[in-house]
Amino acid sequence: METKQKILDQTFDLIMKFGIKSVSMDDISKRIGISKKTIYQYFENKKGLIHEVIENHITKDEEEISAIIKGAKDAIEEMLLVAKHVLVFLRGMSPSMMFDTQKYYPKIWARVENQHFTFILNTIVENIKRGQNEGFYCDDIDADIISKMYVRQILTLADETVFPLSKYERSDLYKSLVTYHVRGLLNDKGRIKAQNLKLE
């Protein structure tokens, strides 16, 4: 399993840097220092490898976000820490990564949408409820409605027809979305609490 995990980790690093389409099995074998034959002992083909790479990332990402939520002092800190976690990922990601996944691996992208975005939706619901209970978010906000709107907005960020890669950085788009989202949730008490907090 150690060799398989190494293949998954190194492949993820490569596709993050260069995009999925640009990375070949030869590139992966050279990066790891093993033969393609060894890679094919664990994965039937590139498609199968990419599928497991994405699955592996989703699992790790959800574990990391859950740990961030558990350690956050309040809902505002939770939202900003999770956003910073996502920004680190986006800033290290090739601009073509999402596009490649959507275009060449639609079933994998559907998995991301169905599983990972459901996790994000539930995370936002719980964050809104937490913020309301702590007295930092407006009481009249419907967590179910806002969480679904937030997820749809995230999906829009990946839409090339709306935000072409040639013009927009994904990290800048996400930062704008989170700032807009949090400011819309805060009441007067929350604004005072968040006035010195910044998303960088």
Side-chain angles (χ1 to χ4, degrees), residues 15-16 18-22 46 50 54 89-90 93-110 112-113 117 154-166 168 170 173:
I15 65 175
M16 278 287 287
F18 302 109
I20 297 174
K21 193 171 186 294
S22 299
K46 182 183 175 182
I50 296 300
I54 300 297
F89 169 76
L90 290 174
M93 183 180 71
S94 163
S96 62
M97 172 80 169
M98 273 195 236
F99 177 77
D100 286 354
T101 308
Q102 288 174 295
K103 183 173 181 179
Y104 301 107
Y105 299 89
K107 288 185 179 178
I108 298 175
W109 179 253
V112 171
E113 286 190 317
F117 283 105
I154 289 178
L155 290 171
T156 301
L157 301 188
D159 189 338
E160 268 281 295
T161 62
V162 181
F163 296 111
L165 289 169
S166 59
Y168 299 96
R170 291 292 174 261
L173 291 172

Side-chain angles (χ1 to χ4, degrees), residues 8-199:
L8 292 171
D9 292 341
Q10 293 296 321
T11 301
F12 181 72
D13 288 345
L14 282 171
I15 65 175
M16 278 287 287
K17 187 175 181 179
F18 302 109
I20 297 174
K21 193 171 186 294
S22 299
V23 174
S24 68
M25 295 297 266
D26 284 321
D27 294 327
I28 296 166
S29 66
K30 288 176 184 175
R31 170 71 174 264
I32 303 171
I34 61 176
S35 66
K36 284 197 294 182
K37 184 178 179 181
T38 302
I39 297 175
Y40 286 123
Q41 288 176 359
Y42 296 95
F43 306 97
E44 183 178 353
N45 49 38
K46 182 183 175 182
K47 192 171 186 178
L49 171 56
I50 296 300
H51 180 82
E52 285 206 43
V53 166
I54 300 297
E55 288 279 356
N56 187 61
H57 168 69
I58 288 174
T59 299
K60 282 186 176 180
D61 195 53
E62 291 181 2
E63 288 173 354
E64 289 170 4
I65 289 174
S66 295
I68 289 170
I69 292 169
K70 189 175 181 180
K73 292 192 287 287
D74 55 58
I76 300 172
E77 182 180 76
E78 173 190 313
M79 190 66 203
L80 292 178
L81 287 176
V82 170
K84 287 177 181 179
H85 167 81
V86 175
L87 277 173
V88 169
F89 169 76
L90 290 174
R91 284 170 177 158
M93 183 180 71
S94 163
S96 62
M97 172 80 169
M98 273 195 236
F99 177 77
D100 286 354
T101 308
Q102 288 174 295
K103 183 173 181 179
Y104 301 107
Y105 299 89
K107 288 185 179 178
I108 298 175
W109 179 253
R111 182 87 169 98
V112 171
E113 286 190 317
N114 293 333
Q115 177 184 326
H116 198 46
F117 283 105
T118 296
F119 171 81
I120 292 172
L121 184 128
N122 292 333
T123 297
I124 298 300
V125 167
E126 292 306 313
N127 177 263
I128 293 173
K129 290 179 179 178
R130 178 180 181 180
Q132 289 173 329
N133 290 333
E134 292 170 344
F136 296 128
Y137 294 171
C138 298
D139 288 329
D140 59 351
I141 287 175
D142 188 310
D144 178 62
I145 293 173
I146 297 302
S147 63
K148 288 177 180 176
M149 289 173 65
Y150 182 83
V151 168
R152 295 313 304 177
Q153 287 172 324
I154 289 178
L155 290 171
T156 301
L157 301 188
D159 189 338
E160 268 281 295
T161 62
V162 181
F163 296 111
L165 289 169
S166 59
K167 188 175 180 182
Y168 299 96
E169 288 283 341
R170 291 292 174 261
S171 58
D172 291 340
L173 291 172
Y174 181 71
K175 186 177 176 180
S176 295
L177 171 59
V178 172
T179 301
Y180 172 76
H181 174 73
V182 173
R183 286 178 180 171
L185 293 174
L186 298 174
N187 57 22
D188 290 340
K189 180 181 175 182
R191 279 189 283 275
I192 294 171
K193 175 75 175 177
Q195 62 184 352
N196 295 320
L197 300 175
K198 292 183 179 180
L199 177 59

